[in-house]
Amino acid sequence: MATQNVSKALTGGTCPADGGQCLKLEKAAIKIQSWWRGNLVRRTLLHAALGAWVIQCWWRSMQAKMLEQRRRLALRLYTCQEWAVVKVQAQVRMWQARRRFLQARQAACVIQSHWRWHASQTRGLIQGRYEVRASRLELDIEILMA
């Protein structure tokens, strides 16, 4: 019967009990309603906070993955550049070594030709076997001067 009185009081009907009792019931109902609404709001806020937390965790993991991808790409580019530098240096060193070798071979050929000319002029007779290694041609030359 007390619940019927509260419902009549809340709907605008007259409360058969004294005015003080209805006010107490109304205040109690208001407290229960505010408690329930507070629970609903806290639950909604908790769900929203958990959803935000999930989104933040996902975003941080995506940022970590993107950072790792950028780091790997930068490392790949760095290694490609380093290998290119190493290859260019190797080519330059090979070119320099080949140029020095060709200069030394040409100098040796000049010295040999001068020495052979000098030997032929002083002895008058050249006998021997000569090898030209540049074109892998072997020659047997005998020069006799009378």
Side-chain angles (χ1 to χ4, degrees):
M1 183 162 181
T3 57
Q4 291 174 355
N5 292 339
V6 170
S7 64
K8 283 183 184 177
L10 293 178
T11 57
T14 60
C15 182
D18 65 339
Q21 183 70 21
C22 284
L23 283 176
K24 286 182 185 178
L25 288 176
E26 191 175 329
K27 285 183 182 181
I30 290 172
K31 281 188 179 184
I32 292 171
Q33 288 174 349
S34 65
W35 172 82
W36 180 248
R37 286 186 192 123
N39 277 342
L40 288 178
V41 168
R42 280 189 291 278
R43 189 181 312 161
T44 304
L45 289 176
L46 178 64
H47 283 292
L50 287 175
W53 180 72
V54 168
I55 291 171
Q56 288 171 351
C57 288
W58 172 81
W59 180 246
R60 287 183 190 120
S61 70
M62 290 304 295
Q63 280 184 325
K65 285 179 186 178
M66 289 188 296
L67 183 65
E68 181 66 20
Q69 285 177 348
R70 277 192 231 123
R71 189 188 66 80
R72 284 185 182 174
L73 179 63
L75 184 62
R76 250 189 259 134
L77 290 174
Y78 174 76
T79 54
C80 286
Q81 289 174 350
E82 286 296 311
W83 273 108
V85 167
V86 168
K87 286 187 178 227
V88 168
Q89 287 174 345
Q91 290 292 324
V92 167
R93 288 184 185 124
M94 185 178 69
W95 175 75
Q96 288 174 339
R98 180 156 176 80
R99 197 179 83 213
R100 283 193 300 267
F101 168 74
L102 292 175
Q103 287 174 348
R105 190 176 75 177
Q106 184 181 6
C109 288
V110 168
I111 292 170
Q112 286 175 354
S113 68
H114 281 64
W115 178 254
R116 288 178 189 143
W117 179 83
H118 176 71
S120 71
Q121 293 297 319
T122 57
R123 284 195 280 174
L125 177 64
I126 296 178
Q127 291 181 347
R129 179 182 166 106
Y130 299 96
E131 295 180 14
V132 178
R133 292 179 187 249
S135 63
R136 302 205 181 266
L137 176 66
E138 295 182 11
L139 299 173
D140 285 331
I141 300 175
E142 290 186 21
I143 301 175
L144 298 173
M145 296 183 71

